[in-house]
Amino acid sequence: MTAAVLTGLGSALPTRLVTNEELSTRLDTTDEWIRTRTGIGQRFWSDGESTGDLAVAAGERALAAARVSEADMVVLATTTPDHPCPATAPEVASRLGLGHAAAFDIGAVCSGFVYALAMASAGISAGLADRALVIGAETYSTILDPEDRTTSVIFGDGAGAVVLERGEKGAPGSFAGFDLGSDGANRDLIQVPGGGSRERTGADGMEGRYFTMRGKAVFKEAVTRMAGSASKLLDSVGWAKDSVDLLVGHQANTRILHALADHLSMPRERVVIDLDRVGNTSAASIPLALARAATENRLRPGDRVLLSAFGGGLTWGSTALVWPELSTGIH
C-alpha cells in the first residue's frame, strides 16, 4: 500500500540572535522572568530575511539531505507569508528550481506543519505527487508588538523542511496516521485581528495588525487538545503510549510540553525541547525541533516518534512515524 515516506530534513534560522538580556533593556522583564515562565533563553529574528527566504534555505537543505533536486508538490505552512496575495509557496518552488510543481500555503498557525504533512501525504497517496517538499516557515517578529512583553519574549523566526517520497506503508519514515481538529468558536484566543476582510486596517499604522494571545486560556487548551489528539492518534495506529521513544510537540512553552508528557504518562525525558534556543517559531517549531534532535543524536533509526501541535484557529493535530536512516541539512 502506498504511503508518504520521510527522506530528508533541513532547517534555517535568521542571522540576528536576540537574547533575553537584550529584550530586558527595553521591556519590563528579566532573563529569569522569561526562563521561569516559558523556558526560552533566546530567539532569532529576521534581519531582512522574509518567510520565503527562510523557506527556500530550509527547502534547499532538505532536498540536499534527501539527495534529490526535484519535487512535484510544495506545501508551505506559515502565518506570516511574504504577501497577503499571492501565496508564498509558488515563489519558493520557483526559486528552488522545481518548475511547475503544485504549490500552496497552509494557514493553520502553530499546527500548520502537521496539517501540511497530512495534505502532502494525502497528495502522494492519491497519486497527485511522487515527491513533496513540506516546509514550516515563519517571521513572527514582523507581526509582534515591540512593546508587548507577553508576546515579544516568546516568538522567534525560522524554517524547517522535510522531503516526502512515495513508498510503502509501514516502511521506516512512513506516517502511521493523522489526527486533525479545530474549534473556530475560540478563534479570538490567538489572532491578528486586523488586516483582513472582517477588520480592515488603514495604511497609516499597525493598529490591529499585531499578534495577540490570551495566554492562560491558551495554555489550558493547548495541553487538553494536544493530549486528546495524540491519544486518539496512538489508539488509531495501535501504539501503546509507553512504546513512544520521542515526543516532539509544538514548542510553545516548556511547561506545556511537560504537562503534555504527564497527560500521556510519558517520561519528561522523552520530550524534545528546542524553544530554549529558538523560542516559539509557530509552524516551524516541529521541524526545527526534529532537526535539533537529529543533530544531537536523539533520533535513532527505528525510534517511534510522536508529533503533536496546537495553534490558532483553534487547530490541533498529531501524527507518528518510525524514524528512518536519514541525512540532515541543518542550519
Side-chain angles (χ1 to χ4, degrees), residues 180-205:
L180 304 175
S182 73
D183 175 15
N186 282 310
R187 63 191 178 279
D188 61 333
L189 296 187
I190 301 171
Q191 67 174 338
V192 177
S197 63
R198 182 174 296 278
E199 186 175 330
R200 301 182 187 184
T201 304
D204 297 330

Side-chain angles (χ1 to χ4, degrees), residues 13-210:
L13 293 169
T15 54
R16 182 186 171 197
L17 172 64
V18 180
T19 63
N20 290 347
E21 288 79 6
E22 177 182 336
L23 293 179
S24 68
T25 64
R26 62 178 180 81
L27 295 171
D28 181 19
T29 190
T30 64
D31 174 65
E32 181 183 9
W33 188 92
I34 298 169
R35 288 181 185 272
T36 300
R37 286 158 179 78
T38 69
I40 297 168
Q42 62 177 42
R43 74 287 296 146
F44 293 84
W45 283 355
S46 168
D47 189 19
E49 304 99 329
S50 73
T51 293
D53 293 336
L54 295 173
V56 168
E60 285 178 340
R61 291 166 183 155
L63 290 166
R67 297 180 176 86
V68 298
S69 59
E70 298 179 350
D72 35 24
M73 179 178 287
V74 177
V75 187
L76 172 61
T78 187
T79 316
T80 54
D82 286 1
H83 308 282
C85 176
T88 303
E91 182 180 353
V92 170
S94 177
R95 290 173 61 185
L96 288 171
L98 301 180
H100 296 156
F104 56 96
D105 292 0
I106 291 280
V109 198
C110 301
S111 304
F113 187 74
V114 175
Y115 268 66
L117 287 175
M119 296 306 102
S121 296
I124 289 174
S125 296
L128 295 174
D130 292 318
R131 182 182 297 127
L133 178 62
V134 180
I135 308 171
E138 302 284 13
T139 50
Y140 254 66
S141 62
T142 63
I143 60 172
L144 295 176
D145 180 349
E147 305 303 320
D148 181 6
R149 74 167 183 171
T150 63
T151 56
S152 284
V153 303
I154 294 174
F155 290 91
D157 303 339
V162 296
V163 175
L164 306 185
E165 300 190 52
R166 182 180 298 277
E168 293 298 319
K169 188 173 180 61
S174 65
F175 293 92
F178 289 91
D179 176 75
L180 304 175
S182 73
D183 175 15
N186 282 310
R187 63 191 178 279
D188 61 333
L189 296 187
I190 301 171
Q191 67 174 338
V192 177
S197 63
R198 182 174 296 278
E199 186 175 330
R200 301 182 187 184
T201 304
D204 297 330
M206 287 294 294
E207 183 181 357
R209 294 197 184 188
Y210 287 131

Side-chain angles (χ1 to χ4, degrees), residues 250-326:
H250 166 53
Q251 304 287 303
N253 181 299
T254 300
R255 291 184 297 161
I256 288 176
L257 291 168
H258 285 164
L260 173 61
D262 294 345
H263 273 66
L264 295 174
S265 300
M266 292 182 186
R268 292 183 176 183
E269 307 85 69
R270 296 185 188 179
V271 177
V272 174
I273 302 291
D274 190 40
L275 58 87
D276 60 328
R277 178 183 69 109
V278 299
N280 180 341
T281 54
S282 190
S285 77
I286 284 181
L288 282 172
L290 286 171
R292 181 173 183 177
T295 300
E296 296 178 348
N297 296 316
R298 292 190 65 189
L299 278 170
R300 297 160 298 184
D303 280 353
R304 286 187 167 188
V305 182
L306 172 64
L307 313 181
S308 190
F310 169 85
L314 299 175
T315 59
W316 55 85
S318 301
T319 188
L321 72 158
V322 173
W323 197 251
E325 289 274 1
L326 198 66

